[in-house]
């Protein structure tokens, strides 16, 4: 056990050294690469506001995405063919077009047409609908992986469909999909950066504002990367941990 721990520490040190060498090489080859922490202090409030907006949008979008994905998943397993067709068409169109295009087209044409003129509300709704397709596809895959024998046994026992779904099917699906859903949440957090296209005051938009006022582009974009990594790395670690737990069980 001690040897494994030492080997793991050694491997981490090697990786850390490699990344440091790359970083130092970049600084050496680019003399203008300077991180201005002094001027950064003058905009802490502005950048902090954008960062909290990003976290808030991510959490709200996650909740809405789970709600929408639940509806889409219900359509995918419905006995009504038109609901199956709607699910297939919606997910194919949504996932077949880049999110950036969805945000621009849907916000300036669709959400405005239905009376949503607030970029924060419209952007959050578009992001939620887009990510719900990823969640729904994950649920669909988990549902299809459930053994057909279980459905036969439930049918033989005459269990009500809602009891089967809540007590038997959903617990299995949640256990299997948790690692993937965590990874999708990390993707959702990174996707909030595209909301800057419609002037949502999230972290990327505030970094762009900081860059335009100070011309400290290196400082701004380095901080932008660190800010997102501070969220996505813990989520990735959590996803890996959950994946190991699922495999062990």
């Amino acid at each position: 056990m001690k040897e494994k721990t030492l080997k793991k520490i050694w491997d981490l040190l090697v990786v850390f050294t490699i990344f440091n060498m790359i970083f130092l090489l970049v600084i050496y080859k680019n003399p203008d690469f300077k991180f201005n922490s002094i001027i950064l202090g003058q905009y802490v409030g502005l950048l902090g506001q954008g960062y909290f907006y990003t976290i808030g949008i991510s959490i709200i979008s996650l909740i809405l995405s789970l709600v929408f994905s639940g509806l889409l998943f219900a359509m995918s397993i419905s006995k009504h063919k038109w609901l199956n067709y709607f699910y297939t068409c919606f997910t194919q169109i949504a996932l077949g077009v880049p999110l950036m295009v969805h945000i621009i087209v849907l916000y300036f044409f669709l959400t405005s047409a239905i009376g949503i003129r607030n970029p924060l509300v419209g952007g959050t709704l578009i992001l939620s609908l887009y990510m719900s397709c990823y969640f729904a596809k994950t649920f669909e895959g988990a549902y299809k992986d459930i053994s057909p024998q279980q459905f036969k046994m439930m049918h033989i026992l005459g269990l009500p469909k809602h009891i089967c779904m809540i007590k038997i099917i959903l617990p299995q699906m949640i256990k299997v999909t948790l690692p993937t859903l965590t990874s999708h949440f990390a993707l959702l957090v990174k996707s909030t950066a595209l909301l800057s296209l419609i002037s949502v005051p999230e972290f990327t938009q505030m970094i762009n504002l900081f860059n335009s006022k100070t011309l400290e582009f290196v400082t701004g974009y380095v901080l932008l990367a660190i800010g997102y990594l501070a969220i996505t790395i813990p989520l990735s670690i959590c996803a890996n941990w959950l994946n190991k737990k699922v495999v062990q069980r």
Side-chain angles (χ1 to χ4, degrees):
M1 189 69 180
K2 187 178 287 186
E3 290 181 3
K4 286 184 178 180
T5 304
L6 290 173
K7 188 178 184 305
K8 189 175 182 179
I9 294 172
W10 170 254
D11 291 338
L12 289 172
L13 285 173
V14 170
V15 173
F16 180 75
T17 303
I18 292 171
F19 275 100
N20 268 298
M21 290 175 65
I22 295 172
F23 182 71
L24 291 172
L25 179 64
V26 170
I27 293 176
Y28 177 74
K29 292 292 184 179
N30 297 276
D32 296 329
F33 190 96
K34 296 178 182 178
F35 188 84
N36 194 335
S37 58
I38 297 174
I39 198 168
L40 186 63
Q42 301 173 15
Y43 292 88
V44 169
L46 180 72
L47 298 175
Q49 177 187 348
Y51 198 64
F52 282 115
Y53 261 93
T54 292
I55 295 172
I57 292 169
S58 300
I59 294 172
I60 294 171
S61 296
L62 174 64
I63 295 169
L64 291 176
S65 295
L66 290 172
V67 173
F68 293 146
S69 63
L71 295 174
L72 289 172
F73 170 68
M75 292 179 184
S76 71
I77 62 173
S78 174
K79 291 182 179 180
H80 300 288
K81 287 295 181 182
W82 70 273
L83 288 175
N84 301 154
Y85 295 148
F86 179 88
Y87 165 77
T88 302
C89 292
F90 184 85
T91 53
Q92 287 296 323
I93 293 170
L95 299 179
V97 178
L99 177 58
M100 181 180 70
V101 178
H102 280 305
I103 290 171
I104 295 172
V105 173
L106 293 180
Y107 177 70
F108 288 106
F109 295 99
L110 181 61
T111 57
S112 298
I114 61 176
I116 300 176
R117 302 190 182 277
N118 187 320
L120 179 61
V121 176
T124 303
L125 182 61
I126 294 166
L127 180 61
S128 302
L129 287 169
Y130 180 79
M131 288 305 303
S132 68
C133 296
Y134 283 98
F135 289 119
K137 286 287 185 181
T138 303
F139 294 145
E140 183 187 11
Y143 182 80
K144 289 180 178 178
D145 284 341
I146 295 174
S147 172
Q149 283 76 16
Q150 292 193 50
F151 291 101
K152 290 179 181 179
M153 286 300 298
M154 287 184 281
H155 179 70
I156 292 170
L157 293 171
L159 296 174
K161 289 184 179 179
H162 68 280
I163 296 294
C164 294
M165 181 61 72
I166 296 172
K167 297 290 186 179
I168 301 173
I169 297 173
L170 279 180
Q172 295 182 68
M173 289 175 57
I174 291 171
K175 184 180 72 174
V176 173
T177 58
L178 266 179
T180 308
L181 294 180
T182 308
S183 298
H184 286 341
F185 182 47
L187 175 62
L188 188 155
V189 172
K190 291 180 286 186
S191 298
T192 59
L194 292 173
L195 297 181
S196 61
L197 293 168
I198 55 174
S199 301
V200 174
E202 46 73 58
F203 193 41
T204 302
Q205 176 68 6
M206 293 306 178
I207 289 292
N208 289 334
L209 185 61
F210 167 82
N211 290 342
S212 64
K213 285 186 175 182
T214 64
L215 301 181
E216 293 287 344
F217 295 98
V218 172
T219 302
Y221 288 126
V222 167
L223 182 64
L224 182 66
I226 293 172
Y228 281 112
L229 286 172
I231 300 174
T232 56
I233 288 178
L235 286 174
S236 297
I237 293 171
C238 182
N240 291 331
W241 180 78
L242 288 170
N243 194 43
K244 288 178 181 178
K245 289 292 183 182
V246 170
V247 171
Q248 287 174 0
R249 291 183 181 180

